[in-house]
Amino acid sequence: MDNRQAYIALLKKSLLDWNRIGVTEFKPIKKPKVKLLKAFAKLLGIEEEIEICKTHLVTYEEKLNGTFWNSAQGDTMIGLKRLENIEFCFHEVIKNQIPGDFIETGVWRGGATIFMKGLLSSIGDTTRKVWVADSFEGLPEVNKDIPFEVKHDLDPKK
């Protein structure tokens, strides 16, 4: 592994907070559930504080597939497979000399943007920009006519 490959591997693991695999994290309970718990406790005359988060043991598969993310840890929620897909697409763009900039839409903390900028820096490209776009209002309502989850094979070696 050369220095550039080592840098990219370290960047991916840093953005994913990879060192927390096997570590118990706290995952916030959604606000409506907390309100319901507090209301129920009040009805029962319980004066104790209601827990607003639960513990979760982070697994390798969750970091690989991007199926668990915690608002306190990591800079991306997309998982290692998707970061590797971005890297594959990036190299295809460079290899085929496709002109233009890069963009991440729907950024959360901008981990994929940071990764794309790191990829550009690793090859010394200062001509392209990396753009960031977000609604800052969350995701739109799900269209029930479109299947919610579509499985994609992200393995660039196939």
Side-chain angles (χ1 to χ4, degrees):
M1 179 183 292
D2 66 19
N3 287 344
R4 190 185 105 24
Q5 291 170 320
Y7 164 72
I8 296 301
L10 179 61
L11 181 57
K12 283 188 268 194
K13 289 181 177 182
S14 296
L15 292 168
L16 290 165
D17 199 26
W18 197 258
N19 64 328
R20 296 192 63 79
I21 293 173
V23 174
T24 300
E25 291 188 359
F26 294 99
K27 182 177 182 179
I29 297 172
K30 293 183 179 177
K31 288 181 183 177
K33 288 183 182 177
V34 172
K35 288 180 181 176
L36 183 63
L37 286 170
K38 286 183 177 183
F40 189 65
K42 189 175 181 179
L43 283 172
L44 294 175
I46 299 172
E47 299 290 328
E48 299 172 20
E49 279 294 311
I50 301 298
E51 189 175 278
I52 59 170
C53 54
K54 57 185 175 182
T55 59
H56 177 82
L57 183 65
V58 180
T59 67
Y60 169 80
E61 288 77 20
E62 289 170 328
K63 290 286 186 174
L64 182 68
N65 296 312
T67 55
F68 175 78
W69 57 275
N70 184 328
S71 61
Q73 306 295 332
D75 293 307
T76 184
M77 64 173 80
I78 65 175
L80 181 61
K81 283 184 181 179
R82 290 178 186 91
L83 282 178
E84 289 179 346
N85 187 49
I86 289 171
E87 184 177 9
F88 171 78
C89 293
F90 171 85
H91 288 299
E92 287 296 303
V93 166
I94 300 303
K95 179 177 76 176
N96 294 301
Q97 299 177 348
I98 299 169
D101 295 334
F102 293 91
I103 187 168
E104 180 183 8
T105 58
V107 297
W108 191 54
R109 289 191 173 156
T113 303
I114 295 166
F115 185 57
M116 287 185 277
K117 181 62 177 162
L119 288 167
L120 284 170
S121 295
S122 76
I123 63 168
D125 187 327
T126 58
T127 63
R128 297 176 192 256
K129 294 179 182 176
V130 180
W131 296 88
V132 182
D134 199 289
S135 70
F136 300 102
E137 295 182 11
L139 299 172
E141 290 291 320
V142 174
N143 183 340
K144 305 247 189 248
D145 297 330
I146 299 173
F148 180 72
E149 185 173 344
V150 178
K151 299 290 182 185
H152 296 284
D153 184 358
L154 301 175
D155 186 354
K157 295 176 183 96
K158 289 186 181 178

